[in-house]
Amino acid sequence: MRNKLRTLAAPLAMAVATTPALAAEPVGRASPTVEDLKVEINQLTAEMEKLKNGDSPFTVNGYYRLQATSQSLDETNDNSSAFVDQRLRAKISGDLNDNVTVVWYGEFDSPWGETGSCQGDNCGKLSADGVGVETKNAYAELKVPNSDWKVRAGIQGYGFGKYESFVTNDDMNGISFAGNVGMATLTGGWFKWEENDRDSADDVDFYTVSAELHPSEVFHYGLTGAQISNSSQVALNGTAARTDDNYLGAYADYTYDQMAYSGSVLYKKSSGLDSDATDGDTYMLNLYAQRHWGNASLKIHGIYIPADDSSNGADRFAANQSGWELNSSNLQIFGTDYYYNNGSQGAKSVYDAAYQGYGLMGLMVSGDQKLSNDYYLKYGTGYFRVADDAPDSATQANGSSLGTEVAAQFGKKFAGVYDLSLRGSYGFMGDFYGDNPEDTYKVVAMVNISY
């Protein structure tokens, strides 16, 4: 218990130290009021807007995020850890004219006392300078004159957001397009994930195309087709070596008054190029219902992925490199922590169950509430269990229940750019992890500045 209290000190101390209303002033000066600080922040925001609205064709935006974390996420013991990390992202966009835009999007990660994304012995430590900027995006976007079509070439973000970011949601090199044909919006692209020896016989390519139709203002639906063609001798991003993973998805969204209903299904079929050793198929189903009223919303989300009963372990989804699954329910342990930088992603329900062949059944309830004076509250809870605790492709688990998570985040925004919050999650671990597993927790104090 003493260790847990000690590790909680870091995020709590940062939350207190960074609260403007409690910030200490030098001796001899009157402490500033909250209104004084708001005036200063508004002045800085106005100066930033002047820069944004200047004559330069280039604009800069992004965010700075500082987080102090205390966590105990190992269900086999109660060991805890505490750390502070930070991330700075900057996106430079240049509108050369009405039809041509160039973009560079960079990132610098620097956990305190650790190297992070920096290269060099002292990066993130004493004498912290070094080479450490990552390029996330670098592309040119060309708009077809007198139309709504556009083409983007270079390193860009692309993903399966409609399917809970399974398969991929990452940065990649390639070419994409978007435009309208009648009532349909078409998007797609070709991306080169691995070139290897510049021989098409050993490349890894990703192809995708989607069509979204809008029959009315309250109803739309879409179809997605994609292929990961892995001709190389090694697995990549969850696709086995010498294997094609083919995906077919469908989704629909319907709104009625203050209610919104949506759902999606994604089917995967794997085919080996040289043999049937990696052949398999599986699917995923997601259903949602959301209610909006005033400054609040409440969402219910259910997910189902069947267990893998194959003899070769190929009837399942596989882990991808981006790690962004189940990020929209305000969870941090069984779902992905939406704000995580260099700490734990979470998503234990996906990595411990679905990706291991046990399948997944989950029910999540989450909500957002805007309070007075720019305060806000976010919360979420979820119950998760495996589809089968003894599938043919995996060892017998101790039980079927993964557990229950309860999470909340309370914060305040200043001048629309400066966000201070404290969030926490507690995981009641189920018998899947043993007869008496240790419960888990994660507490984070965060300063988030958008610009």
Side-chain angles (χ1 to χ4, degrees):
M1 185 66 178
R2 180 177 299 175
N3 289 336
K4 291 184 178 180
L5 291 175
R6 185 179 300 160
T7 58
L8 285 170
L12 293 176
M14 194 184 88
V16 171
T18 54
T19 302
L22 300 178
E25 285 292 296
V27 176
R29 290 181 57 187
S31 297
T33 66
V34 173
E35 291 301 321
D36 291 336
L37 291 166
K38 283 184 176 180
V39 169
E40 292 182 9
I41 293 173
N42 285 332
Q43 289 175 345
L44 291 173
T45 304
E47 292 300 322
M48 181 65 72
E49 289 300 320
K50 288 182 181 179
L51 291 175
K52 289 182 177 181
N53 297 327
D55 294 332
S56 172
F58 290 92
T59 58
V60 181
N61 53 46
Y63 66 83
Y64 170 78
R65 184 178 297 160
L66 176 66
Q67 302 191 82
T69 301
S70 172
Q71 60 186 24
S72 178
L73 300 176
D74 189 344
E75 66 280 350
T76 63
N77 62 63
D78 62 354
N79 291 341
S80 58
S81 61
F83 58 93
V84 179
D85 74 324
Q86 62 187 358
R87 167 172 290 172
L88 175 65
R89 282 188 172 180
K91 182 178 181 180
I92 303 173
S93 302
D95 294 322
L96 305 187
N97 56 42
D98 292 340
N99 298 313
V100 181
T101 301
V102 293
V103 171
W104 179 85
Y105 189 20
E107 173 184 288
F108 178 75
D109 281 340
S110 179
W112 289 11
E114 303 175 27
T115 57
S117 63
C118 193
Q119 298 178 17
D121 293 337
N122 296 321
C123 291
K125 305 176 183 180
L126 183 64
S127 301
D129 55 338
V131 179
V133 177
E134 301 177 10
T135 293
K136 306 297 290 182
N137 291 173
Y139 62 82
E141 183 173 278
L142 309 177
K143 297 179 181 178
V144 179
N146 303 316
S147 80
D148 52 19
W149 283 86
K150 58 185 178 182
V151 177
R152 181 179 294 179
I155 304 174
Q156 56 195 280
Y158 207 95
F160 275 19
K162 286 290 186 179
Y163 308 101
E164 290 296 327
S165 295
F166 279 68
V167 184
T168 187
N169 194 336
D170 214 337
D171 302 309
M172 56 193 75
N173 236 327
I175 186 168
S176 64
F177 64 86
N180 295 322
V181 177
M183 69 171 64
T185 299
L186 300 180
T187 58
W190 162 56
F191 302 93
K192 180 67 68 174
W193 285 2
E194 193 75 55
E195 180 59 51
N196 288 314
D197 295 327
R198 296 190 175 182
D199 182 344
S200 61
D202 60 7
D203 290 356
V204 183
D205 295 283
F206 175 55
Y207 308 92
T208 181
V209 63
S210 296
E212 184 171 290
L213 292 93
H214 302 261
S216 69
E217 292 184 356
V218 299
F219 176 66
H220 67 268
Y221 63 94
L223 300 172
T224 304
Q227 181 188 67
I228 301 173
S229 179
N230 186 356
S231 300
S232 74
Q233 298 296 328
V234 296
L236 180 66
N237 201 57
T239 300
R242 302 291 297 165
T243 300
D244 286 346
D245 281 350
N246 299 286
Y247 297 91
L248 182 62
Y251 61 89
D253 299 278
Y254 174 72
T255 58
Y256 176 75
D257 196 14
Q258 294 178 319
M259 292 294 299
Y261 304 93
S262 58
S264 68
V265 60
L266 180 65
Y267 174 72
K268 169 189 174 182
K269 183 173 180 58
S270 300
S271 300
L273 300 181
D274 305 317
S275 71
D276 60 3
T278 56
D279 288 4
D281 64 339
T282 189
Y283 68 91
M284 172 177 59
L285 175 66
N286 286 281
L287 296 174
Y288 312 83
Q290 189 167 15
R291 161 90 181 192
H292 295 272
W293 65 94
N295 293 323
S297 67
L298 180 71
K299 183 177 72 173
I300 300 174
H301 173 202
I303 184 172
Y304 175 74
I305 300 173
D308 180 357
D309 281 318
S310 68
S311 58
N312 61 353
D315 288 354
R316 67 179 75 171
F317 290 97
N320 63 70
Q321 293 179 184
S322 54
W324 198 235
E325 305 90 338
L326 297 184
N327 64 75
S328 61
S329 293
N330 298 329
L331 303 180
Q332 299 182 93
I333 298 172
F334 286 112
T336 289
D337 181 355
Y338 181 85
Y339 297 100
Y340 88 99
N341 292 343
N342 305 285
S344 167
Q345 172 198 346
K348 287 180 68 66
S349 65
V350 177
Y351 285 84
D352 294 351
Y355 288 159
Q356 303 306 317
Y358 296 99
L360 176 62
M361 295 188 290
L363 181 63
M364 292 148 276
V365 179
S366 60
D368 299 84
Q369 175 72 57
K370 292 183 180 179
L371 307 173
S372 60
N373 297 320
D374 293 321
Y375 286 96
Y376 65 87
L377 174 67
K378 299 181 180 181
Y379 55 89
T381 186
Y383 173 69
F384 303 87
R385 62 185 297 113
V386 298
D388 186 350
D389 60 14
D392 293 342
S393 66
T395 59
Q396 168 78 53
N398 188 77
S400 298
S401 175
L402 292 165
T404 301
E405 179 179 352
V406 179
Q409 179 181 3
F410 179 73
K412 177 177 174 60
K413 294 183 178 180
F414 298 87
V417 295
Y418 173 32
D419 185 345
L420 174 65
S421 68
L422 182 68
R423 68 182 188 275
S425 288
Y426 195 90
F428 301 90
M429 310 309 287
D431 58 8
F432 177 85
Y433 296 102
D435 291 331
N436 294 292
E438 292 287 341
D439 288 342
T440 57
Y441 71 84
K442 183 177 182 179
V443 179
V444 183
M446 179 178 72
V447 177
N448 196 68
I449 302 174
S450 300
Y451 62 91

